[in-house]
Amino acid sequence: MARPGNKIIQAKLVLLGDMGTGKTSLVLRFIKGQFYDHQEPTIGAAFFTQILSLTEATVKFDIWDTAGQERYHSLAPMYYRGAAAAVVVYDISSTDTFNRAKKWVQELHRQGNQNLVMALVGNKSDLNSHREVEAEEAEQFAQESGMFYMETSAKTAQNINELFYEIAKRLARISPPRSSGITLNHETPDKRRRFCCIG
Amino acid sequence: MYGTQSKRDLALELQAQVPFLRPSIHARRANITVKFQDLYGFTVEGNVDDVNVLNEVREKVREQGRVWWALEASKGANWYLQPQISSISEGIALKSSLKLSNFANAITLKKLIRKGIPPVLRPKVWFSLSGAAKKKSTVPESYYDDLIKAVEDKVTPATKQIDHDLPRTFPGHPWLDTPEGHAALRRVLVGYSFRDSDVGYCQGLNYVAALLLLVMKTEEDAFWMLAVLLENVLVSDCYTNNLSGCHVEQRVFKDLLVKQCPRIASHLEALEFDVSLVATEWFLCLFSKSLPSETTLRVWDVLFYEGAKVLFHVALAIFKMKEEELLLTHHVGDVINILQKTTHHLFDPDELLTVAFDKVGSMTTNAISKHRKKQEPAVMAELDQRLRRLNSLRVDDK
């Protein structure tokens, strides 16, 4: 996948958001192209990897898909610690989940990584007829919060690849290797390389 | 109400549907993956070796059944229910009046249970030995029916979450994923959310309760098993509010891993891999989401008799079994892949339990309690600090 001389970015990505907003479905659509109407609830978190090749870089994602139920909140720092990108997901047909998403964004701002690439994702765009959260409102909140906004549907695959490509592009744009959560290297296999994405 | 009969029919049907699996010669050559239903109706994907292992396991289950029948024949039908016998596992001092034969029975029972309770005897043995029978006997006969009737039309945050999760709990299972299965699971979970409003509903319990429903003969017994599990077997507060009990168990597990598998522990530390990343799900779902069904239930056989320390034994065993492979990893993803692959393919329960109890050093319930006491203040302080930070966020917000 990686072209010779192309820079490799290893990036930890975390998905956060209320239960049933479709975090796992987003990931499964992105990675396997699959969608299930009844996706089993995630307990703790699930881990996935995926590689995206851009012209400017190859991004290797380590994806942590977390449990959404409120009481699992206390586990979240373990998963977002050291992340290079965060995807905060809500369901466009539920205001409650949008409010919960706002709280996640605030918490992420507090955790200190200035370079964190953040996306606000209104999922289930196929449920437009049941919409409770207007795109303009979400867009505005995203802008104020320094994140980009996208509406997706894991069910129809709308904007799923676009979402992860946009994140990859932004990660590639961010400068040098020092920033937490990102490793830049030129394919030099170094066994003692410190794994910097979890910590 | 819940159709006991129909579920029993289903169990029979499932057993009938699963003939002795004979992978074709073509399958053997191609080493292809096959899909089939296991003893409890779950669809399993495995290769030919897995199928062979499952066939051996079926044979072992039959043998184990013969051992239990022989014991019933010689010692009487409910020999394992004598109180002195069941109390041994709890470390209660033996009464001087205890006869040697009882003591011998208790040793036999512990060994027998580690080798597995035959599926037909599971409902009866679990119900008695876990303390569920005793718990049920302290309330009026109609407790469960009354509870279910009283709460059936109530809507709470817990009931909404339960309704959301019903079709998502082992989707595709031939009984659980039917209107009848959903309704039974709903009653058990909703009933429990009212019995203990501190727990209410915690995701993870859906898987546990579903498996209990598959094993126990009646829905009511499944409810009492859930109750005894949360109220007596497991450490308290595993599923409440901020999962503090679960945080404590994770810290204890890390301590134990350092002691019992020091090489793995230091290697994972070098990778900055926190074992809770994978072990949290194991402890909250009691392995039901990671191990094959019969293996999970074999773990539960011991769990209900010997207590929550069993979870540590099993979790340590999974790491120990793959020690050499784990030591070669350089990346978090590889660690997770090894562990996931291992758990999903553990079709032979004895392979796991032999390591869990013979290779993992013995740990008394007392020693584990000490570990827990040591970790509790740190967990509480951490959770408290986090809560204050979040609250301050909300103030800033205004």
Side-chain angles (χ1 to χ4, degrees):
Chain A
M1 291 278 253
R3 293 187 229 165
N6 199 351
K7 73 179 168 187
I8 310 264
I9 301 173
Q10 180 101 39
K12 177 178 173 182
L13 181 151
V14 64
L15 284 106
L16 302 163
D18 208 350
M19 65 185 275
T21 51
K23 298 177 292 298
T24 308
S25 296
L26 281 177
V27 180
L28 287 181
R29 174 59 86 184
F30 170 53
I31 288 175
K32 299 187 176 169
Q34 293 170 341
F35 177 81
Y36 300 99
D37 278 323
H38 301 300
Q39 178 62 47
E40 295 195 3
T42 306
I43 308 301
F47 178 82
F48 303 88
T49 54
Q50 180 69 303
I51 299 173
L52 276 188
S53 290
L54 310 173
T55 35
E56 58 271 40
T58 297
V59 180
K60 291 182 172 180
F61 281 116
D62 278 351
I63 302 174
W64 283 101
D65 165 31
T66 63
Q69 198 183 17
E70 181 117 34
R71 66 188 73 187
Y72 282 87
H73 193 144
S74 61
L75 296 168
M78 172 165 78
Y79 299 108
Y80 65 60
R81 196 176 300 142
V87 177
V88 180
V89 186
Y90 70 92
D91 168 357
I92 64 150
S93 69
S94 156
T95 310
D96 288 347
T97 64
F98 182 56
N99 291 333
R100 186 83 200 288
K102 287 180 177 171
K103 286 182 189 156
W104 277 120
V105 172
Q106 291 169 351
E107 185 172 343
L108 286 171
H109 278 147
R110 275 292 176 94
Q111 56 79 51
N113 175 7
Q114 299 302 318
N115 288 321
L116 183 70
V117 171
M118 290 204 286
L120 178 67
V121 170
N123 191 33
K124 308 198 186 179
S125 60
D126 51 289
L127 295 181
N128 202 22
S129 55
H130 297 88
R131 180 187 288 277
E132 284 186 8
V133 184
E134 292 308 323
E136 296 74 36
E137 188 188 353
E139 172 94 62
Q140 196 193 339
F141 174 76
Q143 260 179 19
E144 289 164 5
S145 310
M147 52 202 309
F148 76 91
Y149 170 71
M150 221 175 237
E151 283 201 0
T152 61
S153 167
K155 190 170 185 166
T156 67
Q158 190 205 351
N159 270 347
I160 301 294
N161 287 337
E162 288 80 353
L163 167 68
F164 288 93
Y165 270 102
E166 182 60 32
I167 292 169
K169 271 191 229 155
R170 288 176 184 236
L171 287 171
R173 222 178 289 150
I174 293 178
S175 49
R178 285 285 151 79
S179 61
S180 110
I182 296 192
T183 315
L184 292 174
N185 58 9
H186 292 270
E187 288 250 89
T188 42
D190 173 5
K191 287 189 177 177
R192 297 201 48 85
R193 175 168 68 90
R194 178 174 166 270
F195 182 80
C196 78
C197 299
I198 299 257
Chain B
M1 271 305 275
Y2 176 68
T4 316
Q5 193 53 47
S6 64
K7 187 152 71 78
R8 237 177 264 156
D9 289 348
L10 177 96
L12 288 174
E13 209 179 289
L14 286 177
Q15 277 173 6
Q17 268 175 17
V18 192
F20 203 72
L21 300 157
R22 265 182 237 285
S24 74
I25 187 82
H26 305 291
R28 258 177 254 187
R29 278 202 198 116
N31 196 24
I32 52 169
T33 305
V34 281
K35 266 193 185 177
F36 49 90
Q37 275 192 349
D38 71 8
L39 274 172
Y40 285 87
F42 292 96
T43 302
V44 182
E45 249 178 76
N47 57 30
V48 176
D49 290 337
D50 296 329
V51 175
N52 288 333
V53 168
L54 265 180
N55 281 331
E56 280 165 31
V57 168
R58 279 207 181 92
E59 188 44 47
K60 274 197 242 174
V61 167
R62 266 180 231 124
E63 264 169 47
Q64 202 44 20
R66 285 194 280 274
V67 173
W68 280 76
W69 303 135
L71 276 164
E72 289 213 350
S74 69
K75 293 176 192 268
N78 293 320
W79 65 278
Y80 49 82
L81 303 185
Q82 293 162 48
Q84 297 93 326
I85 296 176
S86 10
S87 66
I88 288 221
S89 64
E90 292 157 26
I92 292 169
L94 295 175
K95 289 180 196 142
S96 53
S97 64
L98 183 60
K99 287 182 204 154
L100 200 62
S101 67
N102 282 341
F103 185 67
N105 277 350
I107 303 283
T108 313
L109 186 60
K110 189 171 168 179
K111 276 195 196 156
L112 258 186
I113 287 180
R114 286 185 178 186
K115 282 193 179 161
I117 301 170
V120 263
L121 286 178
R122 240 175 215 143
K124 196 172 98 173
V125 178
W126 279 11
F127 203 61
S128 316
L129 295 183
S130 66
K134 198 175 154 202
K135 195 173 263 296
K136 186 186 172 187
S137 72
T138 61
V139 295
E141 191 76 12
S142 61
Y143 175 95
Y144 182 70
D145 289 341
D146 293 346
L147 174 68
I148 297 309
K149 252 183 228 135
V151 306
E152 67 185 347
D153 297 323
K154 297 223 160 75
V155 177
T156 65
T159 66
K160 282 187 204 159
Q161 296 182 342
I162 291 166
D163 286 331
H164 188 82
D165 282 352
L166 291 174
R168 310 205 286 156
T169 306
F170 298 124
H173 186 276
W175 182 74
L176 288 169
D177 197 6
T178 62
E180 192 194 357
H182 291 171
L185 182 59
R186 183 179 201 279
R187 285 190 294 270
V188 170
L189 290 172
V190 170
Y192 196 80
S193 76
F194 281 91
R195 176 181 166 92
D196 187 344
S197 54
D198 285 342
V199 172
Y201 171 63
C202 179
Q203 287 189 320
L205 292 180
N206 54 325
Y207 301 110
V208 174
L211 220 44
L212 285 172
L213 274 169
L214 282 184
V215 173
M216 301 307 287
K217 282 223 169 74
T218 68
E219 176 187 317
E220 184 174 354
D221 286 357
F223 171 84
W224 286 111
M225 287 304 297
L226 186 66
V228 83
L229 188 64
L230 267 59
E231 294 159 19
N232 306 84
V233 177
L234 301 176
V235 62
S236 52
D237 287 324
C238 266
Y239 298 96
T240 54
N241 188 13
N242 49 18
L243 312 177
S244 61
C246 175
H247 284 277
V248 172
E249 294 298 77
Q250 290 304 314
R251 280 166 172 258
V252 172
F253 177 55
K254 282 174 215 165
D255 275 0
L256 295 172
L257 189 77
V258 170
K259 268 197 186 146
Q260 301 253 357
C261 314
R263 290 167 74 211
I264 299 178
S266 67
H267 181 73
L268 295 182
E269 204 192 329
L271 291 181
E272 297 187 27
F273 180 83
D274 184 333
V275 290
S276 304
L277 294 170
V278 291
T280 303
E281 185 209 83
W282 295 350
F283 279 70
L284 284 172
C285 300
L286 310 175
F287 298 101
S288 63
K289 240 173 113 46
S290 10
L291 294 174
S293 68
E294 177 62 14
T295 308
T296 304
L297 298 178
R298 283 285 302 277
V299 171
W300 291 15
D301 285 346
V302 198
L303 171 70
F304 288 130
Y305 188 55
E306 297 189 35
K309 68 167 188 175
V310 168
L311 301 177
F312 295 115
H313 275 275
V314 173
L316 288 168
I318 294 170
F319 279 93
K320 211 164 198 127
M321 288 169 87
K322 293 291 154 184
E323 176 153 14
E324 297 310 320
E325 266 182 69
L326 288 170
L327 290 176
L328 295 174
T329 54
H330 300 295
H331 189 278
V332 170
D334 300 331
V335 176
I336 292 169
N337 284 340
I338 290 171
L339 294 172
Q340 269 177 1
K341 221 169 154 189
T342 305
T343 51
H344 290 167
H345 283 85
L346 267 169
F347 291 107
D348 181 2
D350 290 315
E351 192 189 342
L352 174 65
L353 295 185
T354 307
V355 179
F357 296 108
D358 298 347
K359 301 244 170 79
V360 170
S362 88
M363 301 175 278
T364 63
T365 300
N366 267 345
I368 293 194
S369 300
K370 273 187 200 153
H371 275 286
R372 286 186 185 129
K373 286 231 171 68
K374 198 182 103 193
Q375 296 295 352
E376 267 164 20
V379 168
M380 293 308 165
E382 194 184 301
L383 291 174
D384 189 52
Q385 194 192 2
R386 204 172 290 162
L387 190 70
R388 263 185 282 161
R389 224 187 55 205
L390 287 175
N391 285 341
S392 75
L393 270 178
R394 258 148 233 174
V395 173
D396 289 357
D397 197 25
K398 280 168 197 168

